Amino acid sequence: MARRLDYSARYPLHTTEELYAALQSRDYWEARVAEMRKYSPHNEVISHEVSDSGIDVVLAHTLPREMLPEIAQTVMRKDMVITRKESWGPFAHDETEGTFSASIPAGPGSLNGTIRLFPTETGATMRFSPTAKVFIPMVGPRLEQLMLVNLVDLFRAEQEETSRWLAEDAKQLEEDAKKTV
């Protein structure tokens, strides 16, 4: 039986338009991946494509086996290579929706979900709804729960990096505007 949760990343100082503009920027994704290197040393942006139909991003995260929780080490015999994909639809009426997935070669399960970016009275919110499924009897439910707990930690770290990046981007735009006056 798969496990599911909902997580909302709130951005009280930013609009959905600012967040979507960040998602369109390869510099934003590179900054996010650089921040994630604090938690696992090997991360990279594999591809980033922006078109009229939306945004598609592929990231690679490598977690050394010794960094994995003991229960995960019983299943994974070498470093865990995670390919993460995010796809966002076009931005319309101050919101957009997307999907995400994470896959592990020879991994015993799946992780996927939906994302929704929408405005709130105080700014913007990204709501993540992931579903984790592990196909191993007995340990599957424990690994699913572990995946989701770690995913919430990842979402929080990405939210902090996104807020930092948006604040720096706004500061840079302000400085550039002063130079042209």
Side-chain angles (χ1 to χ4, degrees):
M1 183 166 123
R3 291 183 188 263
R4 186 180 173 282
L5 70 79
D6 288 313
Y7 177 80
S8 293
R10 291 181 175 79
Y11 299 90
L13 303 176
H14 302 286
T15 66
T16 55
E17 187 174 3
E18 290 170 321
L19 280 159
Y20 195 78
L23 296 170
Q24 291 178 306
S25 167
R26 181 155 186 134
D27 289 343
Y28 161 75
W29 291 98
E30 293 289 352
R32 227 171 85 169
V33 163
E35 179 65 18
M36 293 303 109
R37 287 188 189 114
K38 291 179 182 176
Y39 308 101
S40 63
H42 306 289
N43 296 294
E44 65 179 311
V45 177
I46 302 296
S47 67
H48 174 259
E49 296 177 22
V50 178
S51 68
D52 290 342
S53 60
I55 304 163
D56 291 304
V57 181
V58 179
L59 309 172
H61 304 284
T62 302
L63 297 169
R65 185 172 184 273
E66 61 273 5
M67 290 180 70
L68 299 174
E70 196 173 307
I71 189 170
Q73 288 184 25
T74 63
V75 177
M76 299 301 297
R77 296 293 176 204
K78 44 189 170 168
D79 292 350
M80 182 184 293
V81 179
I82 303 167
T83 301
R84 183 171 162 193
K85 297 178 182 181
E86 283 190 31
S87 294
W88 293 86
F91 188 72
H93 310 293
D94 283 340
E95 62 182 68
T96 186
E97 293 183 354
T99 60
F100 65 92
S101 65
S103 61
I104 301 166
S110 64
L111 177 69
N112 55 52
T114 59
I115 319 166
R116 184 170 170 245
L117 172 62
F118 58 94
T120 61
E121 289 180 16
T122 60
T125 295
M126 270 190 205
R127 179 162 299 131
F128 296 85
S129 298
T131 301
K133 176 67 179 153
V134 176
F135 309 104
I136 301 175
M138 308 294 272
V139 248
R142 289 183 23 213
L143 285 172
E144 291 165 358
Q145 188 63 33
L146 182 64
M147 287 169 62
L148 293 175
V149 166
N150 285 317
L151 196 57
V152 167
D153 291 342
L154 176 68
F155 290 155
R156 281 188 188 126
E158 289 175 348
Q159 177 183 3
E160 289 173 14
E161 175 57 23
T162 299
S163 293
R164 188 204 59 75
W165 193 88
L166 287 168
E168 258 185 40
D169 192 50
K171 184 179 175 182
Q172 185 63 47
L173 288 172
E174 189 176 301
E175 288 175 11
D176 291 347
K178 285 179 184 177
K179 290 177 186 175
T180 60
V181 173

